[in-house]
Amino acid sequence: MESSRKPIMVNLILSATLLNMASAETLVVFDRPAVKFYESSPLGNGRLGAMVFGDPANGRIVLNESSVWSGGPQDSDREDAHKALPQIQKFLLAGENKKAQELLQKNFLAKGPGSSYGASKDGPFGCYQQFGVLNFTPANPSFSGYRRVLDLANAVSTTTFQRAGCRWEETTFVSAPDQVVVHRLTADKPGQISGEFQLSRDENARTEARGDALVLTGQLKSGTTSPGVKFGGLAKVINKGGSVDSSGNTIKVHGADEVTVIFSAGTDMFGSKFMDEASRRVAQAHKKPIGDLLKRSTTSHRKFYDRCVLTLPKSGNSAGPTVGRMAKNQDVADPGLSELLFNFGRYLMISSSRPDSQLPSNLQGIWAEELLTPWNGDFHININVQMNYWPAEITGLGDCHSPLLKFIQRLVPNGRKTARAYYNADGWVAHVITNPWLFTSPGEGAEWGSTITGGAWLCQHLFDHYAYSGDKKYLEQVYPTLKEAAIFFSQTMIRDPKTGWLVTAPSNSPENAYRDKNGDVLFTCMGPTIDREIVFELWSNVISAAKVLGKDSDLVEKLTAQRNQLSPIQVGKHGQVMEWLEDYDEPEVTHRHVSMLYGLYPGDQISQATPDLYKAARRTLERRGPDGTGWSLAWKVAFYARLGDGEMCAKILQRLLRPTGSTGYNMSNGGGTYANLFGAHPPFQIDSNFGVTAAIAEMLVRREGDTVYLLPALPKAWAASGSVKGLKLRGGITVDINWVNGEVTSHRFLGKGTNRLKVIKPTAK
Ligand code: FUC
């Protein structure tokens, strides 16, 4: 089984790249092996994921494939739910919200178990799961002089250590062009590598060694009568020098100079030939010299990664393991960490959502160690999956947005059924949660399940991709999805007789409770502010799209008239932007969702052009406080960027970068960052990584109409000198900015129509 391939100096290639990159913040550094998942190094190609624990004594790589999902298509619409609708609406119009909520809970939520409150490993909703684990147990487990580096620019993890008088190196990458995970072990003296490889999974799978490959196959539970997802993969163990033999589910290596493992996997979610395909991928990769494999992988990654470059001032604390820097940054600002976090978010997007990925990134991107991943590792659409894609357009990764954009369009047929069953309406609707089985029904709990604007919020992404790219052919293609979402609201919103305003009913303001006039703590309501903001934006986008495409003038007229009748965004008794139609108080003032500020970010209905609301937005944030879960903190950085408050951005960024090891569910204020820079809700949830990357971009540039604000929220700690290249503005414009002492020293726009832009720079303080 000895490989005849020539050894290639991967180490040299890597060292050269590391030297080149020495000045940029592109390295996540560890001085110890990972014990926990959140200390490991994530790698991915938009489908296959690997979490490298880098433990020389007990090698562990958690492997993922983005369609390893249990569950299956679920009949979750209550066909006669619409019969309860008039009565629920009557109760709401009469101010009897408690009765409305009770009736909604009884007759207007998902049929069946829905998402089983986030525990659907074996249920029909299903859950995103680990593929399996590759282990390597070395014959000699001793080691010293440990270092592990995740190189974000090249998408490679390298672990180095000393053992038995040799320098050892483990290199791992996940290639997009070759669709394989490559893991290579070397020592600088021959014959050193001995040990055992295993590929395993705790349930629903079996592994056997076939020749020099470990083959794992299995099938997940569907929770329905239809068959669950079948999955499989293989890890081929290739030795140079020494020998390899196998028994049972183990491959043993004896005295090798070098060992390379090539892994690929798939599922039958998108095609039945996944196992043949995985074997073919491994065989083809095996034919290529490892240097070529690495080069193809990094070249492909850098095509995306190099589009945008941020440089922030360096502090004296930038050396050493990243987690140590995070701790020091709690006392002394280390702006480079924000630069690193920005780069990490872009890295994660390229690694979890490539233009040809079949699924959008989920609550954990594509990385999950569990079989029951928190909240099923699903696609939450009342902020989370949207936040995953906030950085896509602005940081120049608009093509990585496609998996979400395609997915939204795939929701439409089920969304139509749901619209008919619950609202007896045309168009399509999706509520709070969805999955690869395209779930669009309300969730199973009244407290959170009936937010009506999840799908409409997704439509912001469909339109934004056009707004940034100006691609009319694309707009033509997504227009029916936008239009049908708009029609759904056009038909289902009701008029509040007290005010004459059009409002959604029933709905809720994502997951937040209010106290009604009787002191009852409730969720079900009509016309929460976020719905108004989303519907206003959706209708505005459809009106613009129809005009651009020269279509549907009757619809344009209708939506324009209806848009004028929407409830306004109101200011309440605390000076805050009201979250509900009534000026209710919330039992949890610091609740993580700040839904009424959708209009500030990611929307644009609250801006300097609406001074009263702009002021009220600040007041809202003061009441909510500067703490929160990971994603809530990231959102707050974006809000303060829109408010032009760089110091608050810096303060919350610092809070978000607080090192944590907590994995228990904390729904209010546990947000922080794990040793590997993954966001902590806690538990791990990737949205804060993406959200904060977008928020950092918002601190540096904002386009409002034809006015472009350069460095609108630059904190003092970033002022000394810096630059950003390759940020994008709506209208297909690229912007580069250089600054010194907080003043713009030069900027450059590329693209059409830039002469129309009015530029506003920070004034010297
Ligand atoms: C919503 C949020 C939670 C969490 C979950 C995945 O329910 O309110 O904080 O992010 O989604």
Side-chain angles (χ1 to χ4, degrees), residues 363 375 380 382 384 511 592-593 629 631 667 681 685 687:
L363 284 170
W375 287 285
H380 262 59
N382 66 357
N384 313 91
E511 305 184 37
R592 61 196 179 282
H593 287 265
T629 59
W631 63 258
M667 301 306 288
H681 179 290
Q685 202 169 289
D687 38 18

Side-chain angles (χ1 to χ4, degrees), residues 456-471:
W457 185 337
L458 287 172
C459 286
Q460 184 194 52
H461 288 255
L462 290 181
F463 190 79
D464 261 15
H465 186 67
Y466 163 72
Y468 275 88
S469 64
D471 181 348

Side-chain angles (χ1 to χ4, degrees), residues 525-542:
C525 66
M526 62 181 192
T529 303
I530 187 171
D531 284 4
R532 182 274 178 206
E533 293 170 334
I534 291 177
V535 173
F536 184 97
E537 180 188 84
L538 171 66
W539 285 351
S540 303
N541 288 343
V542 170

